[in-house]
């Protein structure tokens, strides 16, 4: 990634003439960290327009008419291809620039005044320095384009936990995606008008169509810039994103706002912004439970969010697949909402066997990005069906056949190709998903992909023990790395790329919230669906069968089972896990739950090594947990 300060070779026209303009910041009333109301929004929009020089400014209302017009424009520009109206009604395929296909963690910055407030796990930049760099790249960056003003609410509009944002973007793809992923348009603007606080979020693809000298250049289907900045100012609650049109880099309500900025807001206001799915389990006898779960990428989060229970007594309904905001309620329980309104899910691996519910969700009104196109105008990706079609146009727009794939190993869909779809379309969406009050949590799961060592399920003894589980989540990076501790990545609370402040302070904040909740805090547990046997095959069937693990944990919560103590925590006692109808040998079950003290001493060393980077900021309670683990291991 190039830095924008050495942009002598910058091909983007227009920066030099106007680089002296400072980066605007919205007006805040004295004592307020966030701007409020429509006046401040109007002024900020005018200042951003003055810096970026768009041809036109459009305030988005979120209507279907507006969406249809933008979709037509995106088709005319070649960004969208309309899919076959019979096979996939009102759906589109976008192909991104091949160099703009994922979140860019190396260009994701936390700009806190004090470097220690960003902490050792974030890329820190000095805020003043970053503002100067951004002023330079944003100057004239929207020339020849339309600037869209996108008011949006994270959470049901007006709900007690909801928060408003305003994204300013020069990408119509972002506008139509934000309409799916958030509550976007008039209702959110009405909140701003009523005087609500709002988070400023500015985005430019970084490819102006007119140079300083007035020279014009043609647009491309997926404009972007090699120079990228995904910048966060947690103290000012501002987001500035430049150079990418893709996913979490550009849909600023998601990772940038609902996790990085929201985690800083949550720290200051006494709540939690988390990278978790959210589901409701309803028992045949009518009892209902709510479960949130944090997993790093590629651990089956969307599959668990849309679980079809192998145990007929449980019915699962979906509340969210990626982010939850958790607030201690007046009743002393922890209440959860999903701040998003859609799913931005990874397509490959989503299929009839692994996630039939997701496949049913995607039958109409979907934006697909970087999947393959079938000859009859539909879409395909690896894992959608067991056998690929005979011919496809791949995500790069080139011919693809199973033979080509066999020879070159080239996938038809990019591994990070995505679907963007409204949550309301999910056939098992919970009837209360749009209720701003949220749901009270009974259980929080932490998990990763671990071929060895980590048992199928371990319940924490108490909240502090659970925070230790969260702080030490780890996941193997690749199939080749599985089984080797050296190649695994620690991803605390699955928040490594998403925590907007010092991770050690974040651990401390979790401890403080638990202390406030006391006895009414949800149960915490660690799970691992990915343990392997000596022959290298998975010991646990996963998917629908994961309901058996949830069933045991919820019976533990209810006091129907007691579990048995292991050095790690509480595991199912003999016969407690409901395994009827499952072809699982006694040996495999024992292996799934086995705790090897020597291997766990090595694990404890690896956790300690990870914790060292946090120095004195690491909460004492976590050091104590590590010491207690070693003592129990003997
Ligand atoms: C996501 C991610 O896109 O975690 O949800 O990267
Ligand atoms: Mn995610």
């Amino acid at each position: 990634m190039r830095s924008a300060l050495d942009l002598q070779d910058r091909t983007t026209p227009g920066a030099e003439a106007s680089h002296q303009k400072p980066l605007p910041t919205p007006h805040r009333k004295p004592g307020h960290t966030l701007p409020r109301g429509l006046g401040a929004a109007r002024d900020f929009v005018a200042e951003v327009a003055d810096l970026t020089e768009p041809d036109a400014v459009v305030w988005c209302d979120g209507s279907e008419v507006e969406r249809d017009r933008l979709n037509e424009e995106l088709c005319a520009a070649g960004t969208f291809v309309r899919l076959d109206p019979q096979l996939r009604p009102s759906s589109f395929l976008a192909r991104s620039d091949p160099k703009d296909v994922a979140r860019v963690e190396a260009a994701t910055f936390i700009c806190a005044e004090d470097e220690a407030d960003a902490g050792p796990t974030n890329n820190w930049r000095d805020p003043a320095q970053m503002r100067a760099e951004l002023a330079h790249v944003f100057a004239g960056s929207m020339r020849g384009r339309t600037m869209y003003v996108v008011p949006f609410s994270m959470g049901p509009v007006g709900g007690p936990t909801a928060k408003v944002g305003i994204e300013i973007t020069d990408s119509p793809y972002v506008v139509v995606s934000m309409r799916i992923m958030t509550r976007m348009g008039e209702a959110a603007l009405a909140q701003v008008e009523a005087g609500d606080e709002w988070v400023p979020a500015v985005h430019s693809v970084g490819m102006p169509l007119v140079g300083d000298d007035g020279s014009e250049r043609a647009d491309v289907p997926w404009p972007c810039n090699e120079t990228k900045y995904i910048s966060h100012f947690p103290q000012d609650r501002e987001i500035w994103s430049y150079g990418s049109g893709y996913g979490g880099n550009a849909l600023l309500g998601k990772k940038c706002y609902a996790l990085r900025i929201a985690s800083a807001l949550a720290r200051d206001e006494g709540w939690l912004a988390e990278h978790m799915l959210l589901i409701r389990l309803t028992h045949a006898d009518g009892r209902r439970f709510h479960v949130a779960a944090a997993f790093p990428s590629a651990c089956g989060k969307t599959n668990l969010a849309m679980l079809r229970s192998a145990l007929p007594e449980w019915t699962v309904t979906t509340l969210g697949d990626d982010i939850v905001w958790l607030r201690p309620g007046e009743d002393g329980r922890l209440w959860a909402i999903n701040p998003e309104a859609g799913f931005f899910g990874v397509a490959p691996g989503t299929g009839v066997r692994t996630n039939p519910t997701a496949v049913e969700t995607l039958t109409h009104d979907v934006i697909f990005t970087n999947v393959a196109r079938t000859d009859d105008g539909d879409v395909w990706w690896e894992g959608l069906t067991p056998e690929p079609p005979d011919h496809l146009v791949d995500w790069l727009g080139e011919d693809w056949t199973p033979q080509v794939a066999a020879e070159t190993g080239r996938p038809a869909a990019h591994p990070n190709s995505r679907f963007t779809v409204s949550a309301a379309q999910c056939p098992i969406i919970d009837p209360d998903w749009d209720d701003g009050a949220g749901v009270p949590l009974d259980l929080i799961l932490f998990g990763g992909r671990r071929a060895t060592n980590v048992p199928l399920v371990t319940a924490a003894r108490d909240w502090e023990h659970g925070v230790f589980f969260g702080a030490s989540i780890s996941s193997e990076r690749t199939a080749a790395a599985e089984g080797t501790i050296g190649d695994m990545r620690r991803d605390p609370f699955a928040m490594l790329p998403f925590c907007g402040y010092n991770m050690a302070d974040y651990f401390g904040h979790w401890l403080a919230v638990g202390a406030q909740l006391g006895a009414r805090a949800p149960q915490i547990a660690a799970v691992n669906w990915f343990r392997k046997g000596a022959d290298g095959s998975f010991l646990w069937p996963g998917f629908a069968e994961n309901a058996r693990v949830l069933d045991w944990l919820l019976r533990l919560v209810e006091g129907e089972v007691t579990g048995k103590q292991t050095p790690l925590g509480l595991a199912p006692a003999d016969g407690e896990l409901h395994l009827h109808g499952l072809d699982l040998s006694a040996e495999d079950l024992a292996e799934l739950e086995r705790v090897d003290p020597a291997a766990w001493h090595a694990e404890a060393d690896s956790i300690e090594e990870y914790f060292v980077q946090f120095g004195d900021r690491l909460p004492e309670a976590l050091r104590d947990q590590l010491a207690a683990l070693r003592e129990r291991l003997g």
Side-chain angles (χ1 to χ4, degrees):
M1 212 67 53
R2 285 185 298 153
S3 152
L5 271 191
D6 38 69
L7 277 182
Q8 270 77 353
D9 64 336
R10 180 177 156 161
T11 50
T12 310
E16 293 73 18
S18 38
H19 73 275
Q20 66 276 14
K21 279 185 193 158
L23 199 70
T25 186
H27 175 74
R28 291 144 174 105
K29 297 219 167 80
H32 289 264
T33 50
L34 277 165
R36 280 172 189 269
L38 194 54
R42 284 217 178 95
D43 290 349
F44 183 58
V45 167
E47 285 180 64
V48 174
D50 186 47
L51 176 70
T52 59
E53 302 178 31
D55 275 3
V57 178
V58 170
W59 288 67
C60 297
D61 60 16
S63 65
E64 286 182 8
V65 172
E66 176 184 84
R67 176 202 61 189
D68 293 346
R69 178 174 52 77
L70 290 172
N71 283 342
E72 286 307 326
E73 283 175 26
L74 284 158
C75 287
T79 312
F80 273 178
V81 174
R82 186 182 283 276
L83 296 171
D84 182 86
Q86 252 76 50
L87 297 173
R88 206 67 71 162
S90 307
S91 298
F92 302 89
L93 169 62
R95 288 191 199 104
S96 79
D97 183 297
K99 293 211 224 63
D100 191 24
V101 293
R103 285 186 292 103
V104 284
E105 290 184 17
T108 299
F109 303 104
I110 299 296
C111 309
E113 290 295 338
D114 180 355
E115 183 171 358
D117 288 336
T121 59
N122 280 315
N123 298 317
W124 173 79
R125 296 297 277 278
D126 174 72
Q129 170 75 20
M130 182 57 92
R131 282 195 170 275
E133 285 187 38
L134 290 171
H136 178 70
V137 293
F138 271 94
S141 74
M142 297 190 188
R143 281 195 202 138
R145 298 192 183 280
T146 298
M147 184 176 108
Y148 300 94
V149 182
V150 181
F152 62 96
S153 174
M154 300 312 294
V157 179
T161 311
K163 290 196 177 282
V164 183
I166 297 179
E167 176 161 355
I168 298 173
T169 177
D170 56 6
S171 161
Y173 169 90
V174 166
V175 177
V176 292
S177 300
M178 284 290 285
R179 186 177 181 277
I180 295 174
M181 293 304 298
T182 70
R183 281 94 174 165
M184 184 274 259
E186 260 174 9
L189 188 65
Q191 291 294 119
V192 175
E193 213 165 354
D196 269 20
E197 296 180 331
W198 48 274
V199 164
V202 186
H203 168 251
S204 172
V205 293
M207 193 194 144
L209 298 174
V210 182
D212 268 351
D213 56 2
S215 62
E216 294 185 14
R217 69 157 121 169
D219 205 355
V220 294
W222 189 276
C224 59
N225 195 307
E226 261 187 54
T227 299
K228 293 180 174 48
Y229 290 92
I230 320 298
S231 301
H232 307 75
F233 297 84
Q235 278 141 339
D236 295 331
R237 327 298 202 197
E238 277 177 45
I239 302 159
W240 288 82
S241 169
Y242 176 88
S244 168
Y246 204 86
N249 301 328
L251 313 180
L252 302 184
K254 195 174 181 61
K255 305 299 188 183
C256 298
Y257 182 169
L259 289 176
R260 299 196 191 96
I261 293 295
S263 61
L265 286 165
R267 169 200 56 190
D268 296 346
E269 297 173 0
W271 52 283
L272 298 162
E274 298 302 323
H275 189 205
M276 292 177 174
L277 64 91
L278 183 62
I279 52 178
R280 169 181 284 167
L281 283 97
T282 306
H283 194 273
D285 65 15
R287 284 174 304 146
R288 302 192 317 192
F289 301 90
H290 300 102
V291 182
F295 297 88
S297 324
C299 293
K301 213 153 135 225
T302 306
N303 295 340
L304 188 60
M306 298 180 186
L307 177 71
R308 291 199 179 174
S309 171
L311 297 177
E313 61 269 37
W314 290 109
T315 304
V316 177
T317 43
T318 306
L319 287 149
D321 79 327
D322 196 39
I323 298 175
V324 296
W325 285 357
L326 304 172
R327 223 177 244 286
E330 277 167 18
D331 59 356
R333 300 188 70 186
L334 194 56
W335 286 74
I337 67 156
N338 166 18
E340 299 191 279
F343 307 129
F344 179 67
V346 176
T350 305
V352 177
R353 190 182 78 82
T354 56
N355 194 338
T357 307
V359 173
E360 282 173 36
T361 306
L362 300 175
T363 50
H364 63 95
D365 289 278
V366 189
I367 300 170
F368 296 96
T369 308
N370 287 347
V371 301
R373 184 162 179 232
T374 63
D375 291 345
D376 53 5
D378 201 3
V379 284
W380 191 85
W381 53 80
E382 280 70 17
L384 176 61
T385 54
E387 295 300 325
D390 289 340
H391 177 264
L392 293 164
V393 175
D394 71 10
W395 72 278
L396 292 162
E398 288 167 17
D399 281 324
W400 185 97
T401 61
Q403 289 76 6
V404 170
E407 281 159 26
T408 62
R410 235 178 62 207
H414 187 278
N416 191 39
S417 55
R418 299 282 183 149
F419 52 80
T420 310
V421 67
S422 166
Q425 279 181 217
C426 175
I428 62 161
I429 197 72
D430 190 90
D432 292 332
W433 83 279
D434 204 19
D435 178 351
V439 295
L441 273 195
D442 299 284
L443 175 63
I444 294 174
L445 302 183
F446 294 122
R449 181 182 282 272
R450 292 294 306 269
T452 60
N453 259 9
V454 181
L456 177 65
V457 54
T458 312
R461 294 149 188 268
D462 54 28
W463 183 269
E464 284 190 8
H465 191 209
V467 171
F468 178 68
F469 283 178
S472 47
I473 291 183
S474 57
S475 210
E476 274 125 21
R477 281 171 202 267
T478 64
E482 277 177 349
T484 52
I485 279 189
D487 272 14
M488 110 208 145
R489 151 159 145 152
R490 297 253 161 227
D491 187 350
F493 291 78
M495 283 286 279
L496 184 66
F498 307 122
C499 185
Y501 60 103
N502 188 310
M503 186 68 85
D505 297 352
Y506 165 91
F507 298 157
H509 182 53
W510 262 82
L511 292 165
V513 169
Q516 181 189 342
L517 295 169
R520 303 220 71 189
Q523 172 71 50
I524 299 180
V527 295
N528 177 26
W529 319 134
F530 302 97
R531 197 161 185 177
K532 289 184 173 177
D535 66 354
S537 59
F538 289 113
L539 291 163
W540 181 249
F543 303 111
E545 310 299 342
N546 292 338
R548 298 174 191 272
V549 172
L550 294 176
D551 168 74
W552 177 74
L553 285 165
L554 293 175
R555 284 186 290 124
L556 187 72
V557 166
E558 288 286 89
E560 292 169 21
V561 291
T562 54
K564 65 172 187 214
Q565 294 286 353
T566 79
L568 307 185
L570 277 176
D574 285 353
E576 283 184 355
L577 207 52
H578 280 162
L579 295 172
H580 47 277
L582 189 64
D583 185 17
L584 184 74
S585 70
E587 296 75 44
D588 281 358
L589 179 62
E591 185 58 21
L592 271 167
E593 285 294 347
R594 191 165 65 89
V595 179
D596 174 349
W600 267 93
H601 272 294
E603 191 84 36
D605 292 347
S606 139
I607 294 170
E608 183 172 29
E609 233 169 78
Y610 186 74
F611 281 173
V612 163
Q613 66 184 310
F614 301 114
D616 290 347
R617 266 170 118 125
L618 186 78
E620 202 55 42
L622 293 184
R623 280 184 229 281
D624 294 347
Q625 286 293 333
L626 188 60
L629 168 65
R630 283 180 164 139
E631 204 177 304
R632 290 195 303 268
L633 289 167

